[in-house]
Amino acid sequence: MRTNDNRGRYDRSGLRYPSDLTDEEWEIIAPLIPPAKRGGNKRTVVMREIVNGLMYILGTGCQWAALPKDLPPRSTVNNYFRRWNHDGTLDRIHHALYDRCREMAGRNGSPTAAIIDSQSVKSAEKGGS
């Protein structure tokens, strides 16, 4: 929860773009990024910049062609997005950040209960017998 006491934790004015990762956020995400494939050329892109490019696209909702020029090329960012979506890397990153947010709120990393409302039950009944 954003209060005057912890306002500094949410301040992103020192970053190039508000969607860029802080050092603390990168420490959580970096171990989840798959290593470069064996064989072939060495990886020449900075992975943090790839994630910053993805966060810019997802945060602003802009078109791929509108990705700023100081981020990696849109084709490179898009290729990593498609690859990580396919191999589950994005899901692992989301889960790690979700757990971290819950822990920061003083909760267990994984929810211990679920609620099914009447709309969920109604939609399940339409499926068949």
Side-chain angles (χ1 to χ4, degrees):
M1 172 189 267
R2 190 178 297 202
T3 64
N4 287 335
D5 294 335
N6 63 10
R7 185 175 302 273
R9 183 170 31 169
Y10 297 100
D11 181 25
R12 301 185 83 78
S13 62
L15 301 173
R16 176 183 47 182
Y17 300 108
S19 58
D20 281 355
L21 297 174
T22 63
D23 291 338
E24 181 183 355
E25 293 165 341
W26 179 242
E27 286 178 15
I28 296 169
I29 292 175
L32 303 173
I33 303 295
K37 293 181 179 178
R38 291 179 36 157
N41 295 335
K42 291 188 176 188
R43 187 179 274 170
T44 58
V45 295
V46 178
M47 297 315 301
R48 184 172 181 167
E49 288 299 299
I50 296 293
V51 177
N52 283 339
L54 285 174
M55 295 301 290
Y56 186 88
I57 292 285
L58 297 172
T60 64
C62 75
Q63 299 171 344
W64 286 101
L67 193 64
K69 300 294 183 200
D70 57 346
L71 290 169
R74 67 178 185 235
S75 60
T76 304
V77 177
N78 185 273
N79 285 339
Y80 276 101
F81 173 73
R82 288 186 294 112
R83 184 180 308 156
W84 291 347
N85 189 41
H86 182 263
D87 70 10
T89 299
L90 292 179
D91 290 334
R92 286 189 295 277
I93 290 171
H94 175 266
H95 185 72
L97 295 176
Y98 178 76
D99 285 351
R100 178 78 171 137
C101 288
R102 288 186 57 85
E103 289 168 1
M104 288 175 65
R107 298 178 174 178
N108 289 333
S110 298
T112 56
I115 298 173
I116 299 176
D117 64 358
S118 61
Q119 292 297 318
S120 300
V121 173
K122 286 180 186 175
S123 65
E125 292 173 1
K126 292 180 184 177
S129 57

